[in-house]
């Protein structure tokens, strides 16, 4: 049976430095009713819509960056690469929830996107899954000053600021569910003491599709990813891996 065609998507890892310890990441818990990654702790993001291609510039991946910014506004009410006050942001978010086009809303408000606020981090492209598959570009972004995100209460039921290691520990205690790509990304993010270090690290590695594969080791199947892309852990036993 062939895999479904991959759906282009974008996700943003919003990071804030604490000054007294590891940086914190903004994560959301998806509603258990969602078909994809229901109940999982993930980063904000979603599919790239046709309208996202209307707001393009010199970036080859411009539509993905636009989608990451739009989805972050919709899901958590946080503006990345966008200079607007709280009232304007609330109106923009409400209009997006009502289905109004992002490009039109920005034009009417006289707002422009700074796509350089997003730093490419990774690209994940699974295959061989019986359900929908996402071709997802991951980005890093620094949390805006005074950020006060709010969960949307529909696709996501709660949000939290948490360190990468904190999220991994919560999953190991059974207090959170992490799908395979999220766990690998958290292990990578746990290496950094701040946003600048994470950004410098990300720029040292190529953004190539990461497609997990199964490898038998001593009679045990492991779900693996390629080496050389910045990930400190590249394999997990299949019977322990959580696939969306």
């Amino acid at each position: 049976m062939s895999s479904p065609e991959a759906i282009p998507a974008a996700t943003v890892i919003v990071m804030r430095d604490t000054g007294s310890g590891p940086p914190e990441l903004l994560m959301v818990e998806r509603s258990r009713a969602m078909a994809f990654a229901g109940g999982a702790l993930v980063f904000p993001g979603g599919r790239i819509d046709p309208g996202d291609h209307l707001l393009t510039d010199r970036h080859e991946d411009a539509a993905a960056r636009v989608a990451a910014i739009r989805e972050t506004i919709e899901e958590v009410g946080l503006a990345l690469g966008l200079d607007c006050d709280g009232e304007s942001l609330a109106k923009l978010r409400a209009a997006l929830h009502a289905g109004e086009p992002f490009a039109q809303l920005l034009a009417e408000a006289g707002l422009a996107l700074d796509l350089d606020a997003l730093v490419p981090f990774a690209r994940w492209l699974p295959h061989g899954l019986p359900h929908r598959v996402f071709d997802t570009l991951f980005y890093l972004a620094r949390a805006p000053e005074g950020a006060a995100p709010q969960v949307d209460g529909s696709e996501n039921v709660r949000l939290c600021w948490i360190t990468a290691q904190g999220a991994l520990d919560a999953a190991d205690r059974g207090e959170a569910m992490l799908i395979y790509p999220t766990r690998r990304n958290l292990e990578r993010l746990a290496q950094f003491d701040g946003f600048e270090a994470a950004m410098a690290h990300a720029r040292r590695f190529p953004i190539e599709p990461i497609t997990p594969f199964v490898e038998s080791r001593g009679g045990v199947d492991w779900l693996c990813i390629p080496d050389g892309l910045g990930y400190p852990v590249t394999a997990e036993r299949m019977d322990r891996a959580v696939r969306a």
Side-chain angles (χ1 to χ4, degrees), residues 24-240:
E24 293 177 330
L25 313 173
L26 180 61
M27 303 193 74
V28 296
E29 182 182 323
R30 288 177 62 78
S31 167
R32 294 187 180 277
M34 299 301 293
F36 176 79
L41 200 62
V42 300
F43 304 109
R47 68 178 64 203
I48 300 171
D49 291 340
D52 296 326
H53 290 272
L54 300 176
L55 292 163
T56 58
D57 72 351
R58 66 186 185 280
H59 295 286
E60 181 182 354
D61 59 342
R65 295 180 191 232
V66 172
I69 293 171
R70 175 182 52 75
E71 287 282 347
T72 304
I73 294 172
E74 292 180 12
E75 292 188 11
V76 297
L78 204 63
L80 304 173
L82 190 60
D83 185 13
C84 64
D85 58 29
E87 182 179 354
S88 298
L89 176 58
K91 290 180 179 178
L92 183 59
R93 187 185 192 192
L96 286 171
H97 283 168
E100 297 184 37
F102 192 30
Q104 177 182 318
L105 293 170
L106 293 176
E108 290 174 351
L111 297 172
L113 298 180
D114 175 14
L115 300 187
D116 288 331
L118 274 61
V119 177
F121 186 70
R123 179 185 174 190
W124 281 72
L125 177 55
H127 74 86
L129 299 177
H131 52 71
R132 68 181 68 178
V133 173
F134 291 92
D135 181 356
T136 306
L137 283 162
F138 285 77
Y139 296 92
L140 293 173
R142 190 191 299 273
E145 289 292 330
Q150 296 178 329
V151 72
D152 67 9
S154 56
E155 290 187 10
N156 305 308
V157 296
R158 74 178 179 98
L159 60 77
C160 61
W161 288 105
I162 190 169
T163 67
Q165 190 59 55
L168 291 166
D169 292 343
D172 291 342
R173 293 192 301 266
E175 299 170 1
M177 183 176 79
L178 300 175
I179 59 175
Y180 186 84
T182 306
R183 179 175 280 276
R184 299 288 84 82
N185 279 317
L186 286 168
E187 290 159 349
R188 185 178 176 187
L189 292 161
Q191 301 175 103
F192 313 126
D193 61 4
F195 180 78
E196 291 294 332
M199 181 173 62
H201 169 92
R203 287 174 171 164
R204 291 203 303 268
F205 294 92
I207 306 299
E208 297 177 355
I210 298 172
T211 300
F213 58 93
V214 179
E215 183 175 275
S216 180
R217 301 179 180 181
V220 177
D221 284 345
W222 290 72
L223 189 60
C224 310
I225 61 174
D227 294 325
L229 296 177
Y231 289 84
V233 179
T234 58
E236 184 177 356
R237 284 177 52 138
M238 277 289 291
D239 58 355
R240 298 174 184 170

